[in-house]
């Protein structure tokens, strides 16, 4: 598949402060690609650098096979961008904001905007300053999607949305993806990434620490172990994310299974369960690896 996004050692410093460091990413046409990390990890900085909203310090990046600096205007014409915190003119009514966004692109998006507003239950006649966080998010979604571009950058798009609107949003996104659109989805809601993304990258302290198919990120991280009848795991290397609960304990284990089983023999265990971790546990494992080193 053609690469829609390609970066090589992309780096951004704010003075002496770290933004992102040596980011290497490749996103293929037609993917829904997840970008995972907590607040402050560098997700928004990566997106803003790719879009040319802030200047890179070093490295290179291409979108649609074109350099992001030399071809910024042309690239942005074919992108739908939703920032994590969308800002609008407070005195404007919602319908005016949506039309203004379309007019800036010199496109008539009225039919698509109307369809999106109906599905997301957008209150068109309210002023922006009267809207809740969730309703502002819905306006941001419409503005990002109404011109139906081939590539979307969505930064924490569902924060503030109620569960029904989250479901509707991903239905719309899946439809766009089925039509061939590529989606770069930044999120810290791991269930979203696990359900909708084919591949994902995990970012920690400005650096990519893992990038693979979502299923492999979980499988390659560690085993999820639950012991009943004891409150502490055995004292062996490779155990992280310990969670005691009454007379049981759960943890992640990365190492030889035979070593784990041998260490359990002396313990008064009443039940043992070893499974592949979900993405949330895998994420915690990747984030705990290397801490304190």
């Amino acid at each position: 598949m053609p690469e829609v996004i390609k970066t090589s050692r992309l780096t951004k410093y704010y003075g002496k402060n770290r933004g992102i460091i040596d980011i290497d990413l490749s996103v293929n046409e037609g993917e829904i690609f997840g970008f995972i990390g907590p607040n402050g990890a560098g997700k928004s900085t990566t997106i803003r650098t790719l879009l040319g909203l802030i200047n890179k310090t070093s490295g290179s990046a291409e979108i649609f096979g074109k350099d992001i600096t030399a071809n910024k205007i042309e690239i942005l014409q074919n992108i739908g961008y939703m920032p994590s915190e969308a800002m609008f003119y407070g005195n404007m009514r919602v319908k005016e904001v949506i039309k203004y966004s379309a007019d800036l692109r010199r496109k008539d998006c009225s039919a698509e905007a109307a369809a999106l507003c109906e599905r997301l239950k957008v209150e068109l006649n309210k002023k922006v300053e009267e809207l809740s966080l969730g309703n502002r998010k819905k306006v941001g979604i419409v503005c990002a999607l109404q011109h139906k571009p081939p590539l979307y950058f969505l930064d924490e798009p569902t924060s503030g949305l109620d569960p029904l609107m989250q479901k509707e949003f991903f239905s719309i996104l899946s439809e766009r993806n089925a039509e061939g659109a590529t989606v770069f989805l930044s999120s810290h809601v791991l269930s979203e990434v696990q359900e909708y993304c084919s591949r994902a990258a995990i970012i920690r302290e400005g650096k990519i620490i893992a990038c693979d198919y979502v299923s492999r990120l979980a499988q390659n991280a560690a085993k999820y172990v639950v012991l009943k009848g004891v409150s502490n795991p055995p004292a062996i290397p490779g155990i992280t994310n310990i969670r005691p609960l009454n007379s049981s304990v759960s943890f992640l284990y990365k190492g030889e299974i035979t070593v784990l089983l041998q260490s359990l023999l002396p313990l008064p265990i009443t039940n043992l369960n070893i499974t592949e971790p979900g993405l949330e546990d895998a994420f915690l494992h990747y984030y705990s690896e290397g801490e304190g080193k």
Side-chain angles (χ1 to χ4, degrees), residues 38-136:
N39 293 334
K43 301 190 302 298
S44 295
T45 296
T46 301
I47 291 175
R48 290 168 185 163
T49 305
L50 283 170
L51 296 180
L53 302 179
I54 53 178
N55 294 325
K56 61 183 174 66
T57 302
S58 61
S60 64
E62 294 181 348
I63 295 178
F64 307 126
K66 299 175 180 179
D67 180 80
I68 60 169
T69 302
N71 303 280
K72 180 171 70 172
I73 294 176
E74 181 182 353
I75 290 170
L76 290 177
Q77 289 174 344
N78 295 292
I79 285 176
Y81 170 49
M82 183 179 175
S84 58
E85 297 180 4
M87 303 296 291
F88 305 108
Y89 294 112
N91 287 327
M92 292 181 72
R93 298 193 182 278
V94 169
K95 60 184 178 183
E96 296 170 338
V97 169
I98 293 172
K99 185 178 184 302
Y100 180 58
S101 176
D103 289 345
L104 289 174
R105 295 184 176 277
R106 300 177 182 177
K107 289 187 176 182
D108 180 3
C109 304
S110 54
E112 187 62 28
L116 290 169
C117 288
E118 182 176 355
R119 293 181 67 172
L120 295 170
K121 296 179 170 54
V122 175
E123 300 176 272
L124 291 169
N125 291 313
K126 276 196 171 184
K127 289 187 176 182
V128 170
E129 62 189 8
E130 299 171 346
L131 299 179
S132 64
L133 171 61
N135 283 321
R136 288 199 303 274

Side-chain angles (χ1 to χ4, degrees), residues 95-213:
K95 60 184 178 183
E96 296 170 338
V97 169
I98 293 172
K99 185 178 184 302
Y100 180 58
S101 176
D103 289 345
L104 289 174
R105 295 184 176 277
R106 300 177 182 177
K107 289 187 176 182
D108 180 3
C109 304
S110 54
E112 187 62 28
L116 290 169
C117 288
E118 182 176 355
R119 293 181 67 172
L120 295 170
K121 296 179 170 54
V122 175
E123 300 176 272
L124 291 169
N125 291 313
K126 276 196 171 184
K127 289 187 176 182
V128 170
E129 62 189 8
E130 299 171 346
L131 299 179
S132 64
L133 171 61
N135 283 321
R136 288 199 303 274
K137 278 285 185 177
K138 291 191 286 187
V139 176
I141 291 170
V142 175
C143 290
L145 271 60
Q146 64 177 336
H147 58 297
K148 301 192 76 170
L151 174 61
Y152 298 94
F153 282 89
L154 306 174
D155 195 357
E156 303 285 0
T158 60
S159 61
L161 295 182
D162 65 55
L164 288 177
M165 285 298 103
Q166 290 179 20
K167 183 177 180 180
E168 187 62 33
F169 167 72
F170 277 111
S171 293
I172 296 169
L173 210 60
S174 297
E175 291 167 12
R176 296 292 176 87
N177 180 244
E179 294 170 357
T182 305
V183 180
F184 189 91
L185 176 68
S186 165
S187 181
H188 63 262
V189 182
L190 301 181
S191 59
E192 293 179 351
V193 175
Q194 187 155 20
E195 183 169 358
Y196 297 103
C197 298
S198 55
R199 292 192 305 135
I202 300 175
I203 186 170
R204 179 179 70 184
E205 296 178 355
K207 296 182 178 181
I208 300 295
I209 58 173
C211 183
D212 207 334
Y213 288 98

